[in-house]
Amino acid sequence: MARTKRRLKSVPDPTPQLRFATIHGYRRAFRIAGHGPTLILIHGVGDNSTTWQTVHSSLARRFTVIAPDLLGHGQSDKPRADYSVAAYANGMRDLLSVLGIERATVVGHSLGGGVAMQFAYQFPHLVERLILVGSGGVTRDVNIALRIASLPVGAEALALLRLPLVLPTLQAFGRLLGTVVGSTGLGRDIPTMLRILADLPEPTASSAFTRTLRAVVDWRGQVVTMLDRCYLTESVPVQLIWGADDAVIPVGHAQMAHAAMPGSRLEIFRNSGHFPFHDDPARFVESVTAFIDTTTPAEHNPAALSDLLRRGGGGPSVTGTPDTRAAVLNALEADERSAT
């Protein structure tokens, strides 16, 4: 007798509920709420699923919204393991399978955007749409603080957070800096960065953070790019959302990704930093909902994918202004290449 695929039961309450699933022997935490088509919300490096609390309940009025803690983050286990973007994409595949979800719209922020793109590349049959928010993995540029943190001295600095008074001193300095630059994108992001910093003194958390960061960033900047494979999203609805004042991943990356992704939509939030869903949650929910309402879910077509791969990307598939096209093509001609 054929096995009946277990279906994930809807959670009608829009208040996210913390749940756990054990996969490959590791406990993975996720927050779930709502009912309807599935949305997966993937957070950035060092962060966790609570970062989506400004929008999770609102989105759950229309959708089944699942926000996982990536392995090594939040309340998920933090083993000595593979924290590459490809490994995270595998983890998303496994979680969806355990929960009985066949397809989803995938929303990724920062590192989570790179994971979302990698997930769509590895498992196109599981993806209905992509929404990338201040996404990593477009080109090399990234905040200097992340470059420093990827160095050996960065790991040593994280260890110092366990010393008495070091973390409280940094938090006090951060709050003071926030009062000085409060009206800027960086100023709006500081409370979230302080929250992330507070989780890092725990040894397994700091080790997982370092391993994750070094998988995607070195002293020169980001080491994994999606640009060489953006043309594969030709048949997938893609929405790009960026903060105009993003101090972590420059808004210019949004323009480049938009140019490299045929048919993608771009929305830039003015007066917003690296976390636009914190700065203007109502607009974020409206943007996501409108995008889903006005697009048709992608249908995986292996023959069409084979044809795309044979034709390849490059110049003919890049749109945008001459300057933006030149920036994309220059990046592709340099050493900006995906490792997987």
Side-chain angles (χ1 to χ4, degrees):
M1 181 181 294
R3 292 180 60 187
T4 301
K5 187 174 182 65
R6 184 165 64 90
R7 301 287 299 178
L8 178 68
K9 293 182 179 179
S10 296
V11 181
D13 185 354
T15 303
Q17 304 295 318
L18 178 63
R19 296 186 180 177
F20 298 92
T22 299
I23 303 174
H24 308 312
Y26 299 126
R27 188 178 77 159
R28 304 187 186 233
F30 61 96
R31 287 177 165 80
I32 180 171
H35 60 91
T38 302
L39 284 181
I40 304 294
L41 308 179
I42 308 176
H43 64 75
V45 63
D47 211 341
N48 60 67
S49 57
T50 64
T51 197
W52 299 104
Q53 65 184 359
T54 54
V55 298
H56 198 148
S57 292
S58 295
L59 289 170
R61 295 188 178 96
R62 287 275 313 276
F63 310 102
T64 298
V65 185
I66 302 170
D69 285 347
L70 294 175
L71 196 68
H73 295 71
Q75 298 194 48
S76 288
D77 282 347
K78 301 171 179 64
R80 185 176 183 271
D82 181 1
Y83 290 112
S84 66
V85 172
Y88 278 132
N90 289 339
M92 289 300 101
R93 183 269 321 272
D94 294 342
L95 179 62
L96 292 187
S97 181
V98 165
L99 297 179
I101 298 172
E102 297 180 351
R103 307 189 75 216
T105 292
V106 185
V107 184
H109 171 245
S110 199
L111 169 77
V115 173
M117 273 293 293
Q118 185 69 25
F119 180 78
Y121 171 63
Q122 292 179 201
F123 312 109
H125 59 289
L126 301 179
V127 177
E128 293 185 336
R129 302 171 187 82
L130 278 173
I131 301 175
L132 307 179
V133 187
S135 178
V138 178
T139 187
R140 182 181 298 172
D141 292 344
V142 73
N143 188 280
I144 185 64
L146 292 179
R147 300 187 190 203
I148 294 173
S150 72
L151 300 174
V153 68
E156 294 174 2
L158 290 178
L160 292 176
L161 293 176
R162 295 192 282 274
L163 297 177
L165 300 180
V166 173
L167 180 60
T169 300
L170 285 176
Q171 290 173 323
F173 174 76
R175 288 190 291 270
L176 177 62
L177 179 63
T179 63
V180 175
V181 297
S183 61
T184 66
L186 175 61
R188 285 184 287 274
D189 290 344
I190 283 177
T192 299
M193 294 177 179
L194 291 177
R195 173 179 60 76
I196 293 172
L197 187 67
D199 291 336
L200 294 183
E202 200 278 319
T204 58
S206 60
S207 176
F209 173 84
T210 300
R211 288 175 179 273
T212 302
L213 184 64
R214 288 177 178 170
V216 291
V217 174
D218 64 14
W219 66 272
R220 297 187 305 164
Q222 297 188 81
V223 298
V224 178
T225 180
M226 64 175 75
L227 283 182
D228 58 350
R229 305 184 189 193
C230 279
Y231 71 95
L232 295 176
T233 65
E234 182 177 287
S235 61
V236 181
V238 179
Q239 167 98 43
L240 302 164
I241 299 176
W242 234 270
D245 302 324
D246 193 329
V248 178
I249 301 176
V251 70
H253 289 210
Q255 303 287 356
M256 293 176 69
H258 182 45
M261 293 181 176
S264 62
R265 301 183 186 182
L266 171 60
E267 187 166 355
I268 297 175
F269 285 28
R270 295 190 180 278
N271 303 315
S272 180
H274 189 53
F275 298 84
F277 50 94
H278 292 177
D279 300 327
D280 195 344
R283 180 180 175 186
F284 183 86
V285 170
E286 181 181 357
S287 178
V288 168
T289 302
F291 172 65
I292 293 174
D293 285 344
T294 57
T295 54
T296 301
E299 290 293 340
H300 179 51
N301 184 330
L305 177 60
S306 295
D307 183 59
L308 268 177
L309 288 167
R310 282 191 291 267
R311 287 189 282 120
S317 65
V318 179
T319 61
T321 66
D323 287 347
T324 300
R325 293 187 76 254
V328 172
L329 296 177
N330 286 340
L332 288 172
E333 291 170 1
D335 61 347
E336 308 292 344
R337 284 292 184 269
S338 178
T340 55

